[in-house]
C-alpha cells in the first residue's frame, strides 16, 4: 500500500506555482543558421533575413526584433518590402508567395502571416511557365512576378489577385524583337525586373539571354529594346531615369541609355573591371550618385576565374579608391543605406554597405576614411570559431562591468565610430534589472564575453589563450590587409574564421568570480589557466605547474595527444584578463570539471583520470586523487584517438541481451488466474490515484568505460569546515577537508587537504551536480557574496544537508553523518536521465519580496523540471528541446534567476525562461511611414483609375488582419 498517495492536492500551492513558474522561449541570439535571402525597407528602416529552414527575421534599432516561421518546410529565396507599407512578401523555393504584416496589438507590433499565393498557369502548361524567378514590388502597390518561362504576371496586393488582363506574355515580347537580334529563340528566364525611378508606369524586364525590354504598364507595349548578347545577371536603373547598367556572366557590365529609339543594339560603354582574362559573373551591381564628386560603383563577383575564382568579393569603386572586400563565406546579397529620406528628390549620400554572407552580417562605413567596418549590435556570429562551452554569470558588479567594457573598447579601435545605421521601430522593452555576462569558450582557444542582460547579445570583449603556448600561428600576421600594389586590391573583412591552429587550444571549462575578477579557463590538452583582470598591458612569464594525476601508477600508457608547448620567454599580454598561473595535467586529457574559490585562492580541476587542488597564491599543488579504474582503457586513449575494444563492446552487448531475456521470463503470465486478479485490481483501484510505477534500473558495471571521469567539483564552507567535493562518472562522491592557514600566515603556511568521506551510489550513475544546503534549506552562497552584502549569511546553527544529483535521481544526505534522508527518482519514473542541473531563485510575479530556491534539471528527453529545495519534490516540468537534438541539450546553461540558453544551431542561442518574474523578450513597435511620404496627385489619381490600390482593397486588408488576430474562421470568411 506504500504505492498509494493521498488523494487531493493543495490548491494554494498550485496558485503559488503559477506565480513562480512560467515557461517561455523568448528570443534567439546570434546569427541565423543558413541564411538564404535579404531584404531592406528604406521607409521603415528595417532589415529582413530569410533562411533555408523557412524562418523570416526582421531587425531594426537594437532591441527591435521580429521572427516568423513559414508552415512549409522550404527555403526563403527572396524577401521584398512593399514601398512605404508595413507589409513584406516572401518567395519560397516551393514557388509559393507569402504576405506578412507588422500589426500593432496591445501597443506592441507582431509579425503575422496574412496570406499565401501560388501562380497557376493554363491547363497543360509546363511548370516553368509559373516558376517565379524575379519579384518586383511596384510603388503603386502591385507585384510583378517574372518566371522561368519568360512571362511576367501582375498580381494585386493585398489579396493576391492575379490581374490577367495586364500580364506580359513572352509571346508578346518575342513578336516585337527586332530582326537584327537573330531568330526568335528562347529568351530564357526573367532574371531582373526594375521600375523606372522617374516614371512608375515603366518597368525594365531583363531576360537571361541578355535581352532587356522597357515595358509601359499603362500602354501595355514595349517602348525600347536593349540587345545584350551576354548572359544577364542583374540590372540597375540610375536615379536620372535615363541610364541603365547591366551585369553579365563574363564579368563585364554595360551602360545603356533610355531614349526615343526603339532599339539600342550596342551599349554606350562596356567594361570588364578585372582584366581581359576569363572572369566570373558579376551577380549584382549598383551605382549611386553623390552630391559632389563621382558616384559609388559597387558590385559582387567579377574576379579572374583562374586565379581568384574561389574568392567571395564585393568591389567598391569611388573616385581613385578601389577595394575588393574579401569575405570568408559565400555572399547572399547586399544593399546600401543612404543618409536622406527615401522619398526625397535626392535620397542622400551613400552611408553604409550592408552585406549578408553565409556566416555573418558585415556593415561597411562608406563615409569614414578607409571604409572601416561598423560593429554590429546584433546578428553577431557566435561561431566565429566553433563554440565548445558556455558559462553564465548573473548580477555583475558595476566596477567589473565597466572594466570589461573598457577593455573591449580598446580591442575595437579598428571598428568605425559611426553609430549603427539601421534604426527602424521603437524598443519598448524595459531596461534590464541587472547586468549579466555570457562567456563562450571556443575551439581556437578564445573566450568571448557577451552582454546577455537584454534582448541583444552584444559582444564586449575577446580573450585569447593561445599566446601562452607555441602554436603554428604567427601573432604578427595581419590578414586584414592585402599586399601593397596587389591586384585585385583585396581587403579581408568579417570575423568568421572556423579554422583552429591547434585543436588542443579548445576551451572546455570556464569559471569567473565576479567579485574578485579572477578567471579560470581549462582546455582540451589538460591545461588550466588562472587569470586576473588588469587594466594595463603587462609582460610576464607564465610558469607551468605539472600535476601527475596517475600518481606514478604502473602499467598505464597514455595514447592520446601531447601537451601544449608552453612559452618560457616573457610574453606581452594586452589589457584585460592576463594569465599568471598554469596547471598542466598529466596525462594531458580534456579537463572535464573545474571550481574556483577566489576567497581561499584555490582552484580544483578534474579529468578522466582524477582531480587535484591548486593554490594559485603560492603557485603550488595541494593534493591529487587518482580516480582511474584499472579497466578504464578508453580513459588512456584521449579525445583524439578513435581506438576502441570491439571485444569489450560485444561482451557488454551480450550481457544486456541476457539480462533482458531473464527479465522477460520472470514477468511472463501463467494462466487465467492472473488475468482475473488483474481485472479485479483494476476495478477496485480505478478511482484511486497511484504513484508512478517505477521501472527496474540495472546497476551499472564498474567495468563501464570512463567511470573515473570527474563530472563535477564543488567548494563548500559549511558548519563543519571548508571542504572540496568531487563527483565521478562511476557514481562516486569524494569529500576532502581543507585546512586554511590564518590570513596573516597565508603566504608562509601551506594549505592542506585530507580525505574525509567517500560515497558510492548504488546504481553507479554519473554524478552531475553537488550542493550543500544550510539550516534554512537554502544553497550556500557563492564565495565573497556575503562579504559584498549581496547575500545573507548562511544558517550555521541548523543541520546542513548534502544534495547529490546523479543522472538517475536526486538524493539528500544529512551532514556530518552522511546518511541518506530523501530522494527523487527520475530514471525509474519516466526513463529520463539528468543532463544539466543548476540552482535558481524564482521570484513571485505578484508579491515582490517572496522568492524560492529551486533545482532546475534538463533531461536527455529535452524536458525541464523544477524541483523544490530542500523538500526534493517535483514542482513543474515543461518540454523544451527535441530529444534528438543532442548537441542542444549538451550546450544548455542555466542562470541564477530561472533562465537558460542552448544552441539551436552552431551560430544561434535560444533563450528561455522558467520564471514568471524574470523575462527577457523583444517588445517593439513599428509604425507606418505613409504619413511621412508625400504622394503626388497625378500618381494617386492614376492608381485609383487603374484599380490597383483602392479604398475597398484597403478595407479588405484591415478586415483580414483584424480577423486573423481574433478568429481564424473569421479570417477564412473574409478571404
Amino acid at each position: 500500500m506504500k504505492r498509494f498517495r493521498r488523494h487531493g492536492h493543495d490548491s494554494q500551492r498550485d496558485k503559488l506555482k503559477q506565480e513562480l513558474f512560467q515557461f517561455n522561449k523568448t528570443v534567439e541570439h546570434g546569427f541565423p543558421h543558413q541564411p538564404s535571402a535579404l531584404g531592406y525597407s528604406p521607409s521603415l528602416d528595417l532589415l529582413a533575413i530569410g533562411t533555408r529552414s523557412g524562418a523570416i527575421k526582421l531587425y531594426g534599432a537594437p532591441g527591435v526584433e521580429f521572427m516568423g516561421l513559414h508552415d512549409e518546410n522550404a527555403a526563403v529565396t527572396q524577401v521584398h518590402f512593399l514601398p512605404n507599407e508595413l507589409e513584406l512578401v516572401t518567395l519560397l523555393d516551393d514557388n509559393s508567395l507569402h504576405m506578412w504584416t507588422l500589426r500593432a496589438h496591445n501597443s506592441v507590433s507582431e509579425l503575422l502571416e496574412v496570406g499565401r499565393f501560388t501562380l497557376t498557369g493554363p491547363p497543360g502548361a509546363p511548370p516553368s511557365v509559373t516558376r517565379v524567378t524575379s519579384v518586383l514590388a511596384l510603388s503603386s502597390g502591385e507585384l510583378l512576378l517574372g518566371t522561368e518561362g519568360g512571362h511576367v504576371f501582375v498580381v494585386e496586393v493585398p489579396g493576391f489577385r492575379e490581374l490577367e488582363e495586364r500580364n506580359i506574355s513572352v509571346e508578346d515580347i518575342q513578336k516585337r524583337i527586332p530582326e537584327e537580334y537573330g531568330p526568335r529563340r528562347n529568351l530564357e528566364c526573367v532574371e531582373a525586373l526594375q521600375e523606372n525611378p522617374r516614371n512608375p508606369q515603366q518597368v525594365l524586364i531583363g531576360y537571361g539571354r541578355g535581352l532587356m525590354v522597357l515595358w509601359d504598364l499603362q500602354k501595355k507595349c514595349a517602348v525600347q529594346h536593349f540587345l545584350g548578347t551576354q548572359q544577364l545577371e542583374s540590372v540597375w536603373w540610375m536615379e536620372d531615369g535615363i541610364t541603365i547598367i547591366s551585369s553579365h556572366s563574363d564579368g563585364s557590365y554595360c551602360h545603356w541609355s533610355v531614349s526615343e529609339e526603339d532599339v539600342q543594339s550596342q551599349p554606350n560603354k562596356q567594361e570588364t573591371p578585372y582584366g581581359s582574362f576569363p572572369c566570373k559573373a558579376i551577380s549584382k551591381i549598383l551605382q549611386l550618385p553623390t552630391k559632389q564628386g563621382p558616384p559609388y560603383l559597387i558590385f559582387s563577383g567579377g574576379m579572374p576565374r583562374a586565379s581568384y575564382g574561389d574568392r567571395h568579393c564585393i568591389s567598391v569603386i569611388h573616385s581613385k579608391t578601389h577595394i575588393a572586400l574579401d569575405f570568408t563565406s559565400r555572399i547572399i546579397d547586399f544593399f546600401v543605406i543612404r543618409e536622406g529620406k527615401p522619398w526625397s528628390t535626392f535620397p542622400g549620400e551613400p552611408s553604409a554597405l550592408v552585406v549578408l554572407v553565409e556566416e555573418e552580417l558585415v556593415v561597411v562605413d562608406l563615409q569614414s576614411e578607409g571604409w572601416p567596418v561598423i560593429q554590429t549590435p546584433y546578428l553577431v556570429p557566435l561561431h566565429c570559431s566553433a563554440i565548445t562551452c558556455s558559462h553564465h554569470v548573473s548580477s555583475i558588479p558595476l566596477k567589473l562591468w565597466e572594466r570589461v567594457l573598457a577593455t573591449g573598447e580598446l580591442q575595437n579601435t579598428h571598428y568605425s565610430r559611426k553609430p549603427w545605421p539601421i534604426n527602424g521601430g521603437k524598443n519598448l522593452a524595459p531596461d534590464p534589472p541587472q547586468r549579466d555576462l555570457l562567456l563562450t569558450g571556443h575551439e581556437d582557444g578564445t573566450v568571448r564575453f557577451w552582454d546577455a542582460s537584454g534582448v541583444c547579445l552584444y559582444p564586449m570583449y575577446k580573450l585569447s589563450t593561445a599566446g601562452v603556448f607555441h602554436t603554428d600561428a604567427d601573432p604578427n600576421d595581419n590578414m586584414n590587409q592585402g599586399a601593397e600594389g596587389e591586384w585585385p586590391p583585396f581587403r579581408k573583412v568579417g570575423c568568421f574564421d572556423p579554422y583552429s591552429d591547434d585543436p588542443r587550444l579548445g576551451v572546455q571549462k570556464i569559471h569567473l568570480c565576479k567579485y574578485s575578477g579572477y578567471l579560470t579557463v581549462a582546455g582540451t590538452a589538460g591545461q588550466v589557466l588562472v587569470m586576473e583582470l588588469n587594466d594595463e598591458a603587462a609582460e610576464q612569464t607564465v610558469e607551468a605547474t605539472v600535476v601527475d594525476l596517475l600518481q606514478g601508477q604502473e602499467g598505464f600508457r597514455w595514447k592520446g595527444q601531447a601537451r601544449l608547448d608552453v612559452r618560457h620567454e616573457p610574453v606581452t599580454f594586452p589589457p584585460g584578463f592576463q594569465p599568471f598561473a598554469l596547471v598542466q595535467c598529466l596525462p594531458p586529457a580534456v579537463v572535464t570539471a573545474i571550481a574556483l574559490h577566489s576567497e581561499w585562492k584555490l582552484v580544483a580541476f578534474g579529468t578522466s583520470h582524477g582531480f587535484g587542488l591548486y593554490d594559485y597564491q603560492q603557485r603550488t599543488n595541494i593534493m591529487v586523487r587518482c580516480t582511474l579504474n584499472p579497466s578504464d582503457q578508453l580513459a588512456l586513449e584521449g579525445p583524439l584517438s578513435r581506438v576502441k575494444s570491439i571485444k569489450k563492446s560485444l561482451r557488454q552487448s551480450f550481457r544486456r541481451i541476457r539480462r533482458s531475456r531473464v527479465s522477460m521470463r520472470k514477468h511472463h503470465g501463467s494462466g487465467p488466474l492472473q488475468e482475473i486478479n488483474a481485472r479485479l485490481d483494476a476495478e477496485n483501484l480505478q478511482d484511486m490515484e497511484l504513484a508512478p510505477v517505477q521501472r527496474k534500473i540495472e546497476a551499472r558495471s564498474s567495468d563501464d568505460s570512463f567511470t573515473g571521469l570527474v563530472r563535477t567539483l564543488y567548494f563548500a564552507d559549511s558548519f563543519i569546515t571548508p571542504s572540496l567535493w568531487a563527483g565521478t562518472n562511476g557514481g562516486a562522491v569524494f569529500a576532502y577537508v581543507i585546512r586554511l592557514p590564518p590570513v596573516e600566515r597565508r603566504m608562509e603556511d601551506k594549505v592542506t587537504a585530507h580525505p574525509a568521506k567517500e560515497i558510492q551510489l548504488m546504481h553507479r550513475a554519473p554524478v552531475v551536480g553537488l550542493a550543500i544546503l544550510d539550516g534554512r534549506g537554502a544553497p550556500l552562497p557563492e564565495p565573497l557574496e556575503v562579504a559584498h552584502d549581496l547575500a545573507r549569511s548562511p544558517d550555521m546553527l541548523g543541520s546542513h544537508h548534502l544534495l547529490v544529483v546523479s543522472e538517475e535521481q536526486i538524493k539528500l544526505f544529512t551532514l556530518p553523518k552522511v546518511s541518506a534522508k530523501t530522494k527523487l527518482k527520475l530514471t525509474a519514473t519516466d526513463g529520463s536521465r539528468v543532463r544539466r542541473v543548476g540552482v535558481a531563485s524564482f521570484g513571485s510575479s505578484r508579491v515582490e519580496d517572496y522568492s524560492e530556491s529551486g533545482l532546475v534539471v534538463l533531461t536527455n528527453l529535452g524536458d525541464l523540471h523544477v524541483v523544490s529545495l530542500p523538500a526534493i519534490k517535483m514542482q513543474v516540468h515543461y518540454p523544451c528541446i527535441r530529444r534528438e537534438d543532442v548537441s542542444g541539450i549538451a550546450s544548455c546553461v542555466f542562470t541564477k534567476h530561472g533562465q537558460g540558453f542552448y544552441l539551436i544551431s552552431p551560430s544561434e542561442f535560444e533563450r528561455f525562461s522558467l520564471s514568471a518574474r524574470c523575462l527577457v523578450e523583444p517588445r517593439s513597435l513599428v509604425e507606418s511611414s505613409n504619413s511621412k511620404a508625400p504622394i503626388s496627385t497625378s500618381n494617386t489619381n492614376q492608381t485609383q483609375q487603374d484599380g490597383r490600390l483602392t479604398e475597398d482593397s484597403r478595407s479588405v486588408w484591415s478586415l483580414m488582419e483584424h480577423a486573423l488576430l481574433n478568429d481564424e474562421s473569421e479570417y477564412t470568411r473574409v478571404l
Side-chain angles (χ1 to χ4, degrees):
M1 296 301 292
K2 291 181 180 180
R3 291 177 53 229
F4 300 115
R5 293 188 300 191
R6 187 174 298 171
H7 184 68
H9 61 273
D10 189 350
S11 59
Q12 194 68 25
R13 180 60 190 173
D14 287 345
K15 184 179 178 181
L16 183 57
K17 286 181 185 179
Q18 294 176 2
E19 297 173 1
L20 293 172
F21 311 114
Q22 181 181 327
F23 177 70
N24 290 284
K25 290 185 179 180
T26 55
V27 65
E28 294 178 1
H29 297 299
F31 183 76
H33 185 50
Q34 295 181 329
S36 54
L38 176 69
Y40 177 68
S41 170
S43 59
L44 300 177
D45 202 8
L46 290 180
L47 165 78
I49 294 178
T51 70
R52 291 188 204 171
S53 61
I56 176 75
K57 300 188 177 186
L58 272 59
Y59 301 90
V64 177
E65 298 183 13
F66 303 94
M67 178 184 169
L69 187 64
H70 296 85
D71 293 335
E72 295 79 4
N73 187 19
V76 180
T77 57
Q78 296 185 43
V79 180
H80 299 273
F81 283 90
L82 301 187
N84 303 316
E85 299 292 341
L86 291 172
E87 288 78 43
L88 66 151
V89 174
T90 55
L91 173 67
L92 306 188
D93 65 356
D94 65 358
N95 205 42
S96 62
L97 286 157
H98 300 255
M99 177 72 74
W100 298 81
T101 185
L102 287 167
R103 176 75 173 179
H105 183 61
N106 292 333
S107 302
V108 177
S109 296
E110 299 175 344
L111 182 62
L112 302 170
E113 183 181 355
V114 292
R116 61 190 68 189
F117 172 73
T118 303
L119 274 178
T120 55
S128 62
V129 172
T130 55
R131 181 74 183 177
V132 179
T133 56
S134 183
V135 179
L136 173 63
L138 294 171
S139 57
S140 57
E142 296 162 341
L143 291 179
L144 293 188
L145 308 178
T147 66
E148 195 176 287
H151 302 277
V152 178
F153 294 85
V154 184
V155 177
E156 181 186 64
V157 288
F160 281 132
R161 185 171 67 89
E162 182 184 341
L163 304 177
E164 297 183 9
E165 67 280 1
R166 302 184 56 197
N167 289 344
I168 307 168
S169 69
V170 69
E171 290 79 15
D172 291 339
I173 299 294
Q174 287 176 327
K175 289 175 184 177
R176 295 176 174 85
I177 295 177
E179 294 182 1
E180 59 264 32
Y181 195 64
R184 293 175 185 170
R185 56 184 177 178
N186 183 18
L187 297 178
E188 300 183 11
C189 66
V190 177
E191 283 286 354
L193 291 168
Q194 282 279 319
E195 184 180 50
N196 189 335
R198 295 296 181 184
N199 183 0
Q201 296 302 321
Q202 291 184 347
V203 295
L204 183 70
I205 307 171
Y207 290 92
R209 181 180 163 188
L211 174 70
M212 294 182 293
V213 178
L214 182 59
W215 185 269
D216 192 297
L217 293 171
Q218 188 175 9
K219 298 177 182 177
K220 301 180 183 178
C221 65
V223 177
Q224 192 175 357
H225 296 79
F226 305 94
L227 308 184
T229 56
Q230 287 294 334
Q231 186 80 20
L232 183 70
E233 294 290 329
S234 72
V235 297
W236 177 258
W237 208 324
M238 295 287 291
E239 291 174 359
D240 57 10
I242 298 173
T243 305
I244 294 171
I245 302 176
S246 62
S247 67
H248 301 275
S249 61
D250 63 347
S252 67
Y253 65 89
C254 303
H255 286 248
W256 310 80
S257 295
V258 177
S259 64
E260 299 296 329
E261 298 179 5
D262 180 53
V263 175
Q264 184 176 351
S265 57
Q266 295 293 331
N268 300 335
K269 182 174 70 172
Q270 180 172 358
E271 289 191 22
T272 304
Y274 293 111
S276 56
F277 293 102
C279 295
K280 296 197 73 174
I282 295 179
S283 57
K284 182 175 181 178
I285 191 168
L286 52 86
Q287 183 169 306
L288 300 170
T290 57
K291 281 188 176 179
Q292 297 176 349
Y296 281 83
L297 179 66
I298 305 174
F299 59 88
S300 59
M303 288 290 123
R305 189 177 294 275
S307 305
Y308 305 107
D310 58 341
R311 299 285 187 105
H312 311 288
C313 295
I314 289 182
S315 300
V316 184
I317 303 172
H318 175 63
S319 186
K320 295 181 180 179
T321 306
H322 182 162
I323 291 179
L325 302 172
D326 190 7
F327 300 89
T328 55
S329 57
R330 184 175 62 89
I331 296 167
I332 305 297
D333 202 354
F334 67 92
F335 63 85
V336 172
I337 297 175
R338 306 179 72 172
E339 279 186 328
K341 303 297 182 183
W343 51 81
S344 59
T345 306
F346 179 69
E349 300 279 342
S351 169
L353 170 65
V354 181
V355 185
L356 176 67
V357 295
E358 206 162 38
E359 303 294 350
E360 59 186 318
L361 183 82
V362 180
V363 181
V364 180
D365 180 5
L366 296 178
Q367 294 190 334
S368 299
E369 186 179 354
W371 297 340
V373 171
I374 301 175
Q375 174 75 63
T376 55
Y378 45 72
L379 290 171
V380 183
L382 306 176
H383 63 316
C384 290
S385 174
I387 294 176
T388 50
C389 66
S390 303
H391 175 62
H392 188 275
V393 188
S394 300
S395 306
I396 303 294
L398 180 60
K399 184 177 180 180
L400 177 63
W401 185 269
E402 291 176 342
R403 292 178 69 188
V404 172
L405 196 60
T407 305
E409 289 176 353
L410 291 175
Q411 290 182 333
N412 296 335
T413 53
H414 60 285
Y415 283 114
S416 169
R417 293 300 176 186
K418 283 285 185 72
W420 181 243
I422 301 173
N423 289 292
K426 299 176 184 177
N427 179 17
L428 303 179
D431 293 333
Q434 60 199 23
R435 294 171 294 273
D436 291 350
L437 275 178
L438 179 66
L439 281 66
T440 54
H442 297 263
E443 193 178 49
D444 61 354
T446 59
V447 177
R448 296 171 193 262
F449 289 63
W450 308 87
D451 178 359
S453 311
V455 173
C456 294
L457 194 65
Y458 186 78
M460 294 180 65
Y461 164 65
K462 183 178 80 169
L463 162 70
S464 177
T465 62
V468 181
F469 309 99
H470 287 287
T471 61
D472 295 334
D474 185 354
N476 297 318
D477 275 352
N478 187 355
M479 299 299 293
N480 291 329
Q481 301 295 335
E484 188 175 348
E486 180 186 17
W487 187 259
F490 292 116
R491 192 181 91 190
K492 283 280 186 186
V493 287
C495 59
F496 177 71
D497 183 12
Y499 305 107
S500 173
D501 297 315
D502 194 327
R504 296 174 296 173
L505 289 170
V507 176
Q508 297 297 327
K509 296 292 176 182
I510 308 169
H511 194 113
L512 171 68
C513 176
K514 60 187 177 184
Y515 305 111
S516 63
Y518 285 107
L519 173 69
T520 308
V521 178
T524 303
Q527 70 271 26
V528 181
L529 284 165
V530 186
M531 304 185 177
E532 187 175 15
L533 186 58
N534 192 345
D535 298 329
E536 303 292 335
E539 185 179 37
Q540 58 193 34
T541 303
V542 182
E543 295 183 3
T545 300
V546 179
V547 177
D548 183 10
L549 292 175
L550 294 180
Q551 296 180 301
Q553 293 193 34
E554 297 181 359
F556 294 98
R557 187 169 61 90
W558 173 246
K559 303 175 185 177
Q561 78 262 355
R563 70 183 189 180
L564 285 162
D565 186 14
V566 182
R567 294 181 184 270
H568 298 291
E569 69 277 8
V571 179
T572 301
F573 296 102
F577 284 94
Q578 300 170 350
F580 65 89
L582 168 63
V583 178
Q584 178 60 60
C585 301
L586 291 181
V590 173
V591 178
T592 56
I594 59 169
L596 170 68
H597 202 296
S598 52
E599 187 176 0
W600 301 341
K601 303 293 190 296
L602 300 178
V603 171
F605 52 89
T607 71
S608 55
H609 306 105
F611 60 93
L613 184 62
Y614 178 74
D615 180 353
Y616 62 79
Q617 186 169 5
Q618 295 188 12
R619 315 283 174 87
T620 58
N621 196 60
I622 298 170
M623 54 79 60
V624 171
R625 174 65 182 259
C626 179
T627 58
L628 188 67
N629 189 300
S631 62
D632 274 358
Q633 292 300 317
L634 287 179
L636 298 176
E637 294 170 0
L640 304 182
S641 173
R642 300 188 179 275
V643 180
K644 188 173 181 180
S645 171
I646 300 175
K647 182 178 178 181
K648 182 176 180 180
S649 178
L650 288 172
R651 183 171 62 248
Q652 290 174 344
S653 299
F654 282 119
R655 189 178 298 156
R656 290 193 205 98
I657 294 171
R658 194 179 304 117
R659 287 173 184 165
S660 63
R661 286 176 178 171
V662 171
S663 178
M664 288 174 64
R665 282 197 296 269
K666 286 181 179 179
H667 293 88
H668 192 269
S670 57
L673 184 59
Q674 282 76 12
E675 296 180 10
I676 296 171
N677 288 334
R679 193 180 302 115
L680 287 173
D681 288 342
E683 291 174 357
N684 293 331
L685 304 178
Q686 60 183 353
D687 295 328
M688 300 181 68
E689 185 180 358
L690 298 178
V693 177
Q694 296 183 0
R695 63 192 73 197
K696 183 180 179 182
I697 303 300
E698 294 286 348
R700 304 188 190 197
S701 170
S702 60
D703 293 337
D704 288 348
S705 301
F706 288 115
T707 55
L709 185 145
V710 178
R711 292 288 292 268
T712 182
L713 292 164
Y714 176 69
F715 283 112
D717 189 8
S718 66
F719 71 98
I720 311 170
T721 181
S723 56
L724 170 67
W725 301 77
T728 72
N729 219 39
V733 177
F734 301 94
Y736 275 73
V737 173
I738 300 174
R739 303 294 182 189
L740 295 167
V743 177
E744 61 274 8
R745 301 282 304 170
R746 181 66 177 81
M747 284 299 295
E748 292 79 16
D749 296 348
K750 289 189 176 182
V751 178
T752 59
H754 305 283
K757 191 73 176 177
E758 183 175 338
I759 307 170
Q760 179 62 61
L761 300 182
M762 184 181 300
H763 291 115
R764 301 182 182 274
V767 178
V768 296
L770 293 167
I772 289 182
L773 309 182
D774 67 5
R776 289 186 291 263
L780 295 180
E782 296 179 16
L784 296 174
E785 193 173 14
V786 175
H788 285 76
D789 295 327
L790 295 172
R792 64 177 179 174
S793 300
D795 182 358
M796 293 297 186
L797 300 177
S799 60
H800 286 195
H801 294 84
L802 170 67
L803 182 70
V804 179
V805 183
S806 74
E807 282 192 356
E808 296 179 359
Q809 63 185 9
I810 302 167
K811 204 165 186 176
L812 200 64
F813 295 86
T814 61
L815 290 178
K817 285 182 71 174
V818 192
S819 58
K821 181 179 180 181
T822 183
K823 62 184 174 183
L824 175 66
K825 297 181 179 180
L826 288 174
T827 306
T829 304
D830 58 12
S832 63
R833 295 184 184 274
V834 177
R835 287 290 180 257
R836 287 286 182 269
V837 64
V839 176
S841 175
F842 295 92
S844 170
S845 59
R846 190 175 61 88
V847 182
E848 186 175 351
D849 296 333
Y850 183 80
S851 64
E852 289 184 6
S853 291
L855 193 70
V856 184
V857 173
L858 175 67
T859 70
N860 63 325
L861 304 180
D863 295 333
L864 288 168
H865 302 265
V866 179
V867 179
S868 63
L869 294 176
I872 316 296
K873 290 185 177 180
M874 189 71 70
Q875 299 300 299
V876 290
H877 71 275
Y878 306 98
C880 180
I881 310 175
R882 292 181 301 108
R883 67 174 67 187
E884 300 83 9
D885 188 4
V886 178
S887 59
I889 294 173
S891 65
C892 185
V893 57
F894 296 119
T895 77
K896 297 293 184 182
H897 298 282
Q899 299 186 60
F901 302 81
Y902 67 94
L903 287 171
I904 54 175
S905 74
S907 60
E908 290 173 290
F909 273 114
E910 175 84 71
R911 187 177 193 139
F912 63 87
S913 174
L914 288 162
S915 172
R917 180 191 292 180
C918 296
L919 195 67
V920 176
E921 62 179 349
R923 291 182 59 83
S924 314
L925 178 64
V926 179
E927 297 174 320
S928 174
S929 58
N930 260 331
S931 57
K932 304 175 186 177
I935 302 175
S936 65
T937 307
S938 58
N939 286 347
T940 305
N941 292 338
Q942 184 63 50
T943 300
Q944 291 173 351
Q945 290 171 10
D946 292 347
R948 299 176 191 172
L949 200 60
T950 64
E951 289 300 321
D952 289 341
S953 63
R954 288 285 181 201
S955 301
V956 171
W957 183 237
S958 300
L959 278 171
M960 288 163 60
E961 289 183 319
H962 178 75
L964 181 66
L965 283 169
N966 293 280
D967 189 357
E968 195 169 330
S969 60
E970 181 68 14
Y971 169 68
T972 307
R973 187 187 66 78
V974 172
L975 281 179

